[in-house]
Amino acid sequence: MPYYTLEQFWRFPLIVGSPLSYAAINGIDPDDVHMATLARFGTPELNNEGGLFAPAIDFGWLGYCAFWALYGFVAGRLHRGFLSGSLLGLLFFPLLFLSLLESPLLLYLSSVRSFTYDRAHLKCTNRGQTNGHY
């Protein structure tokens, strides 16, 4: 079951301590496994999960290639929308570009760090569509 690509869901406050938590469903806590691996093979203070290969951990190599191909396709479409001045391109391309720059460090879009930014953009996008403005 994917953990790193759905991290916002698994770290949501109502999910963390409930029977729906990742540890309760799968029987392992990815954070504990990560820290144990670092304690044995690295330095916990100087490392992170890394974002570039997180889809490979979640989906395998074929899923990894599909994930980044889809990511690139969406980035290209949003870039074209950004250049043409569309609302979706103007709202979401800067976030996607930032997440692309952060990908060696973490998957920014699925990280808890982008939670409020994602929700604010979705709310603005829905409000614009319900009023008939794009």
Side-chain angles (χ1 to χ4, degrees):
M1 182 171 291
Y3 177 76
Y4 294 109
T5 52
L6 297 174
E7 186 178 4
Q8 279 185 4
F9 174 76
W10 296 118
R11 290 186 185 256
F12 193 73
L14 298 175
I15 301 294
V16 171
S18 74
L20 297 175
S21 70
Y22 192 86
I25 292 173
N26 294 317
I28 60 168
D29 185 8
D31 294 330
D32 291 342
V33 171
H34 178 71
M35 292 309 288
T37 303
L38 288 179
R40 184 170 179 193
F41 299 111
T43 306
E45 294 86 15
L46 303 174
N47 286 293
N48 65 355
E49 292 89 5
L52 195 57
F53 292 106
I57 295 169
D58 285 346
F59 305 119
W61 289 107
L62 186 60
Y64 169 78
C65 293
F67 178 87
W68 285 112
L70 180 65
Y71 193 92
F73 175 76
V74 171
R77 297 292 295 178
L78 286 176
H79 183 255
R80 288 178 71 191
F82 181 79
L83 293 177
S84 68
S86 75
L87 179 64
L88 286 176
L90 291 172
L91 285 176
F92 288 106
F93 179 70
L95 175 65
L96 195 77
F97 183 72
L98 176 66
S99 71
L100 185 61
L101 293 176
E102 292 285 337
S103 63
L105 179 64
L106 73 147
L107 282 178
Y108 189 77
L109 291 178
S110 65
S111 166
V112 180
R113 296 176 187 188
S114 70
F115 182 77
T116 55
Y117 192 82
D118 295 343
R119 300 310 167 260
H121 274 73
L122 290 175
K123 188 171 184 171
C124 289
T125 304
N126 288 337
R127 180 178 295 150
Q129 288 178 355
T130 57
N131 293 336
H133 304 288
Y134 292 101

